[in-house]
Amino acid sequence: MGHLWTPWRSTYLKDKRDRTACIFCLAAASTGDEESLIVHRARLNFIILNRYPYTSGHLMIAPYQHVSRLQQVDDETSAEMMRLVRRSEQLLEQTYQPQGINLGMNLGEAAGAGIEQHIHMHVLPRWFGDANFMTSVGSTRIIPEELSVTWARLSHAFQDE
Ligand SMILES: [Zn+2]
């Protein structure tokens, strides 16, 4: 699935050079969820929008714990993560009516992890033709919805549950 996450990679790498701390830990520690793009905080994990989304509604579920491997979190954390994956699936379907959803976790840089030191599960809505479209326009990504709009829609959806 590595190719799925590559369109934003060149942009991401430019940003990465300016960062010294883990963006997941920074976001979790921040008090401004809208600014840090956190749409939901659970007890052991939080849900954050991808700042370089592949499609609208592309979110990531990460534990508060700074770990690089799934085997390093306890059963309770991984069980909550899976519950949040299921809730995300449901809310993304209600909010965006996608034709499919990708779930994925890249462990280690060789597997395509952009931020390899802190695990995160990608959940992203898919539509027929979105990948073909990406190929046809090369490195230019068309994001049909502003991140602030996605944040408002999804943070409210999680709140309303
Ligand atoms: Zn971290």
Side-chain angles (χ1 to χ4, degrees), residues 22-25 65-67 117-118:
C22 169
I23 65 156
F24 289 100
C25 290
Q65 203 184 345
H66 181 87
V67 291
Q117 71 271 30
H118 195 134

Side-chain angles (χ1 to χ4, degrees), residues 4-158:
L4 286 178
W5 323 126
T6 53
W8 48 264
R9 194 163 172 81
S10 58
T11 313
Y12 168 71
L13 287 174
K14 284 190 202 94
D15 267 21
K16 193 179 182 183
R17 286 185 213 118
D18 302 321
R19 293 178 194 280
T20 51
C22 169
I23 65 156
F24 289 100
C25 290
L26 282 174
S30 81
T31 50
D33 282 354
E34 181 166 7
E35 196 181 329
S36 59
L37 298 178
I38 291 180
V39 293
H40 182 66
R41 286 176 183 267
R43 200 166 69 80
L44 302 164
N45 299 268
F46 61 100
I47 305 178
I48 185 169
L49 297 182
N50 192 322
R51 201 170 285 277
Y52 306 103
Y54 183 74
T55 59
S56 291
H58 182 175
L59 48 83
M60 301 177 293
I61 302 168
Y64 294 112
Q65 203 184 345
H66 181 87
V67 291
S68 61
R69 289 294 183 268
L70 187 56
Q71 60 195 291
Q72 291 174 297
V73 299
D74 59 19
D75 287 351
E76 207 181 340
T77 302
S78 60
E80 186 191 72
M81 181 181 271
M82 192 49 70
R83 281 199 300 277
L84 293 173
V85 168
R86 288 153 49 102
R87 286 177 69 186
S88 299
E89 175 195 1
Q90 183 185 27
L91 293 178
L92 285 175
E93 283 183 343
Q94 286 169 7
T95 307
Y96 290 97
Q97 292 89 41
Q99 294 166 310
I101 291 179
N102 281 128
L103 306 174
M105 186 177 276
N106 302 323
L107 301 178
E109 195 176 359
I115 300 124
E116 62 167 334
Q117 71 271 30
H118 195 134
I119 59 169
H120 49 283
M121 174 78 84
H122 292 269
V123 183
L124 94 126
R126 299 298 304 266
W127 288 266
F128 287 115
D130 59 11
N132 295 340
F133 182 68
M134 293 308 308
T135 306
S136 69
V137 297
S139 60
T140 305
R141 289 178 312 124
I142 307 299
I143 302 299
E145 183 177 80
E146 292 289 334
L147 278 173
S148 58
V149 175
T150 309
W151 181 84
R153 294 177 77 179
L154 289 178
S155 61
H156 291 144
F158 277 103

